[in-house]
């Protein structure tokens, strides 16, 4: 058990934090929704019912969407752009690490995806950014779907015509929900990139060595 945690502790702790905060999101969202229902003279709903409520699902995927957008953009942009002195950037003065994929494919323990033909090798070489972007698109679509359902239910409550799912894609409310998260993700990433030039976190792979000069780029 101790060996498993040593090898996988980062993922285990992060997933426990994810599970705990998701439960907190669910329960506090349920309490808030019931407050609104009571205020409008409607019957409250159970915590289990709230799990499939459009409001809960829309807010879940709204947040996942911004995180996967941030990570996919970060992975791709750091492959092309540089920030001298940052632990989060490749060194602009060094050669391309992955210039010869065929040579890397011959290394002992190289991933099977790298040992395939040139087309599959090229796909594998960009698989991380692609997978994160696909997760962003899936989360975006689910945010759109459930946010539209919530907007339709709200319109019905107020005796207004419900906007269709396709039409909702052009609704200001939907984009307000998205942009308010996207901007914070890009800001936090930019702040991390810049702060890692001057500040350190001992033993973190996201930081340069504590004694490294500010001009050193990468870890």
């Amino acid at each position: 058990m101790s060996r498993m945690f040593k090898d996988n502790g980062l993922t285990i702790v992060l997933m426990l934090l994810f599970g705990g905060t998701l439960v907190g999101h669910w329960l506090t969202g349920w309490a808030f929704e019931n407050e609104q229902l009571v205020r409008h003279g409607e019957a409250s709903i159970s915590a289990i019912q709230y799990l499939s409520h459009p409001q809960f699902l829309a807010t879940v995927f709204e947040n996942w969407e911004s995180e996967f957008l941030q990570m996919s953009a970060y992975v791709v942009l750091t492959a092309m752009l540089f920030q001298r002195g940052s632990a989060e950037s490749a060194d602009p003065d060094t050669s391309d690490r992955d210039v010869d994929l065929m040579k890397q494919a011959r290394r002992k323990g190289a991933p099977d995806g790298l040992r395939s033909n040139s087309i599959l090798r090229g796909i594998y070489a960009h698989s991380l950014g692609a997978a994160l972007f696909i997760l962003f698109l899936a989360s975006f679509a689910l945010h759109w779907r459930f946010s539209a359902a919530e907007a339709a239910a709200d319109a019905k409550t107020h005796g207004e015509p419900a906007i269709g799912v396709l039409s909702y894609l052009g609704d200001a409310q939907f984009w307000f929900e998205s942009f308010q998260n996207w901007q914070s993700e890009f800001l936090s990433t930019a702040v991390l990139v810049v702060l890692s030039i001057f500040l350190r976190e001992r033993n973190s792979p996201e930081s340069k060595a504590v004694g490294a000069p500010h001009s050193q780029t990468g870890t």
Side-chain angles (χ1 to χ4, degrees):
M1 178 63 182
S2 60
R3 179 66 185 182
M4 186 190 75
F5 185 80
K6 183 177 180 179
D7 290 346
N8 304 285
L10 181 58
T11 298
I12 291 170
V13 171
L14 285 172
M15 291 307 294
L16 287 172
L17 289 170
F18 162 70
T21 51
L22 182 62
V23 170
H25 179 194
W26 163 44
L27 294 177
T28 53
W30 167 58
F32 175 75
E33 176 62 14
N34 278 337
E35 287 176 3
Q36 299 303 306
L37 291 171
V38 170
R39 186 173 297 161
H40 290 86
E42 301 177 34
S44 60
I45 61 175
S46 70
I48 299 301
Q49 287 176 309
Y50 187 68
L51 277 173
S52 59
H53 195 285
Q55 181 196 67
F56 173 65
L57 293 171
T59 54
V60 166
F61 292 115
E62 174 187 335
N63 285 288
W64 292 12
E65 160 199 314
S66 63
E67 299 299 334
F68 288 128
L69 174 63
Q70 175 205 36
M71 294 310 299
S72 62
Y74 183 59
V75 166
V76 173
L77 290 177
T78 52
M80 301 183 292
L81 304 175
F82 306 95
Q83 176 55 60
R84 186 175 297 279
S86 176
E88 301 297 315
S89 170
D91 190 335
D93 296 328
T94 59
S95 59
D96 185 352
R97 180 189 65 187
D98 294 323
V99 66
D100 190 343
L101 295 182
M102 290 187 67
K103 182 178 179 180
Q104 291 198 45
R106 292 192 290 270
R107 288 181 179 176
K108 183 179 179 180
D112 291 339
L114 205 58
R115 301 176 187 275
S116 305
N117 59 57
S118 59
I119 295 176
L120 293 178
R121 188 158 49 241
I123 293 173
Y124 182 76
H126 298 284
S127 56
L128 178 58
L132 290 168
F133 189 69
I134 290 169
L135 288 169
F136 158 69
L137 290 178
S139 299
F140 179 87
L142 289 166
H143 168 211
W144 169 26
R145 157 79 173 80
F146 291 113
S147 186
E150 175 66 11
D154 187 63
K156 183 179 179 181
T157 300
H158 292 87
E160 301 170 357
I163 187 171
V165 175
L166 285 177
S167 298
Y168 188 69
L169 189 59
D171 191 89
Q173 174 65 28
F174 173 68
W175 290 104
F176 172 72
E177 292 171 358
S178 292
F179 285 129
Q180 68 176 322
N181 287 297
W182 295 4
Q183 51 89 14
S184 64
E185 299 298 340
F186 289 130
L187 174 64
S188 64
T189 304
V191 168
L192 174 62
V193 167
V194 174
L195 288 183
S196 71
I197 299 173
F198 309 104
L199 305 179
R200 310 286 185 268
E201 184 59 44
R202 187 174 183 177
N203 293 327
S204 174
E206 297 304 312
S207 167
K208 293 182 286 191
V210 176
H214 293 332
S215 59
Q216 178 181 312
T217 305
T219 56

